[in-house]
Amino acid sequence: MDNLTTHLKNPPHWLIHPPGNLFLNHLNSYRQTLQTYPTPPRICLAESDPIKFLAAFFASLLHNAPLFLCHPQWTPQEWQSVLELTQPQIIWGISPPPPTFPPTPTPQLPPQAIMIPTGGSSGKIRFAIHTWETLTHAVEGFYHYFNQQPVCSLCLLPLYHVSGLMQGIRAFLTQGKLAIYNYSDLKKALTNNNLFAPLLSHNWQDFFISLVPTQLQFILEHNPQWLQQFKTVLVGGASTPNALLEQAYHHQINLALTYGMTETAAQIATLKPRDFLNKIWCSGQTLPHAKITLQSPQNPIIQIESSALYWGYYPHGTEQAKIFITDDLGKINPEGYLSIFGRNSQKIITGGENVFPPEIEQIIFQTNCVQDICIIGLPDAKWGEIVTAIYVPKSGDITPEIIQAKIAPLLSPFKHPKRWLVRAKIPRNAQGKINYPDLKQWATNQ
């Protein structure tokens, strides 16, 4: 708590965009509202304005009010399920606000509880319980790993998401610089080649930037020179195709592939840029605040121990998790480098053979025939499951036969898709993750 109150006494010089001169006014306004409640109220924070978001975030922490970070553009159905779960007394950022709920007993929560939304590939919204302490441990692990303090960040990701939130907290705790822009502003500047736009004209050489693979691809296609100036380009949220890594390597981008999730307060393993430029392509080594192990050589499911682990999912978390068992499959080499080669739940067993979609997706990406690709398994009476490719072709004359001919020497026959389905677009969320249940249902209907 000391670092929180100390940093909030002064004007937020760490906020360089949007200018933080209104921050303290908003902070005091939110605090005055909270002082009218006899006990700390449950708050849903859905503020799209970054200054107001950060002011409300810190006001809630100072008053120990249970805080739920929310997406301002959730659908009515999503909001209904969230409100039934959280039953907030205050909702900030939605106009007109959804109905609030009368005071009800708050489940036992740790001090300064921060509930961060996560859906993974299921599409169902749930909240991972974190605290100011767990997020602080994650920041400490980050700056020790990179030997970098202060940490300056250009944030293009939403603050309600853990990967956006942690950029703000790193800058806040280390008194680095933080610039927050909407990704659409960058796309407009790059598309129009507006060299005078603040995003393009500013000197970012001391800054980290965090991207998901789809954002990395767009920037590399429009202005790779802009990315070359960054101290480190963190990439995570979804697997990054080898073809995209080759493109980043060609332009000598200081790329850092990351591995982490909401439950771990963002990254717990990261590939340092020097390793990327030496063509060591994997998820890197473990940050000092964490430990990564595999369940067994025969069952290489990734397990995580960390001082930044969550307290479970709301409302059932009563103590900090000691170990988090993921759904990811990986391997760790003698030097401690982590490689992810699939998800246990997405493993396809076809004719008794194990198939991992990321391997096939990367090979198909390398053919340069598709804009996007997703490999899933569908039930089949003969094979148990059949490997199914859902793809977005780069042009109308690309056929499955053309792709199959190119991948034939690169993949074992049992790994070849037996069914090919064309889509105009593969649905992904803002972090590039696919809603697999919905996509499987669509493929089944086809």
Side-chain angles (χ1 to χ4, degrees), residues 356-389:
F356 296 99
E359 177 190 9
I360 306 172
E361 291 166 353
Q362 288 192 0
I363 294 295
I364 293 176
F365 262 120
Q366 290 172 7
T367 67
N368 202 32
C369 291
V370 302
Q371 296 181 37
D372 205 355
I373 179 74
C374 178
I375 300 295
I376 62 172
L378 292 180
D380 183 80
K382 179 180 179 181
W383 299 100
E385 288 183 290
I386 56 171
V387 180
T388 302

Side-chain angles (χ1 to χ4, degrees), residues 285-304:
Q285 295 172 301
T286 308
L287 273 62
H289 69 289
K291 179 183 178 182
I292 299 176
T293 56
L294 306 178
Q295 283 194 347
S296 70
Q298 297 75 28
N299 192 30
I301 294 176
I302 294 171
Q303 304 178 137
I304 299 165

Side-chain angles (χ1 to χ4, degrees), residues 378-405:
L378 292 180
D380 183 80
K382 179 180 179 181
W383 299 100
E385 288 183 290
I386 56 171
V387 180
T388 302
I390 303 170
Y391 70 107
V392 181
K394 281 198 169 181
S395 62
D397 57 352
I398 298 294
T399 64
E401 290 75 21
I402 292 174
I403 303 175
Q404 284 173 320

Side-chain angles (χ1 to χ4, degrees), residues 57 67-70 114-119 125-131 134-135 159-163 165-166 169 262 265 313:
F57 177 85
L67 179 65
F68 298 85
L69 307 186
C70 299
I114 304 158
M115 276 58 72
I116 306 176
T118 178
I125 299 168
R126 55 183 176 176
F127 290 90
I129 304 172
H130 274 284
T131 67
T134 62
L135 302 186
L159 292 175
Y160 66 81
H161 190 274
V162 69
S163 54
L165 178 70
M166 291 308 299
I169 295 177
T262 307
Y313 299 107

Side-chain angles (χ1 to χ4, degrees), residues 109-296:
L109 290 170
Q112 297 180 298
I114 304 158
M115 276 58 72
I116 306 176
T118 178
S121 59
S122 68
K124 183 179 180 181
I125 299 168
R126 55 183 176 176
F127 290 90
I129 304 172
H130 274 284
T131 67
W132 184 244
E133 184 179 21
T134 62
L135 302 186
T136 298
H137 284 309
V139 171
E140 292 170 347
F142 182 94
Y143 68 68
H144 283 305
Y145 185 74
F146 283 102
N147 192 27
Q148 178 71 33
Q149 193 177 4
V151 177
C152 301
S153 291
L154 168 58
C155 181
L156 299 172
L157 301 174
L159 292 175
Y160 66 81
H161 190 274
V162 69
S163 54
L165 178 70
M166 291 308 299
Q167 291 178 70
I169 295 177
R170 288 174 202 142
F172 175 81
L173 286 177
T174 66
Q175 291 298 278
K177 302 296 184 183
L178 175 66
I180 306 172
Y181 284 89
N182 193 303
Y183 175 55
S184 62
D185 295 336
L186 176 62
K187 292 179 71 174
K188 290 175 184 176
L190 293 175
T191 303
N192 299 327
N193 197 26
N194 183 3
L195 300 180
F196 298 102
L199 265 168
L200 300 188
S201 59
H202 193 276
N203 182 355
W204 301 108
Q205 66 179 3
D206 294 327
F207 281 70
F208 289 78
I209 183 174
S210 295
L211 303 172
V212 296
T214 52
Q215 293 174 330
L216 174 64
Q217 182 173 8
F218 183 88
I219 298 170
L220 287 177
E221 289 174 352
H222 288 81
N223 190 341
Q225 292 75 25
W226 182 73
L227 270 189
Q228 289 172 345
Q229 66 180 308
F230 281 90
K231 184 179 187 66
T232 305
V233 179
L234 303 164
V235 178
S239 60
T240 306
N242 274 353
L244 191 54
L245 298 179
E246 289 283 2
Q247 195 176 353
Y249 176 79
H250 171 75
H251 292 290
Q252 293 291 282
I253 306 299
N254 292 318
L255 204 67
L257 297 174
T258 71
Y259 175 70
M261 54 214 70
T262 307
E263 292 83 353
T264 61
Q267 64 203 77
I268 52 158
T270 301
L271 185 72
K272 290 182 177 177
R274 67 169 180 264
D275 287 330
F276 173 76
L277 295 174
N278 285 325
K279 281 213 161 185
I280 302 173
W281 292 355
C282 61
S283 294
Q285 295 172 301
T286 308
L287 273 62
H289 69 289
K291 179 183 178 182
I292 299 176
T293 56
L294 306 178
Q295 283 194 347
S296 70

Side-chain angles (χ1 to χ4, degrees), residues 316-354:
H316 305 298
T318 56
E319 63 179 15
Q320 186 178 12
K322 294 180 174 57
I323 189 166
F324 179 62
I325 300 174
T326 74
D327 189 41
D328 297 316
L329 303 169
K331 60 182 179 181
I332 303 172
N333 75 4
E335 289 74 40
Y337 287 85
L338 172 70
S339 295
I340 311 295
F341 57 82
R343 295 180 72 89
N344 192 47
S345 61
Q346 292 166 14
K347 177 176 66 178
I348 302 168
I349 303 176
T350 179
E353 299 281 1
N354 291 338

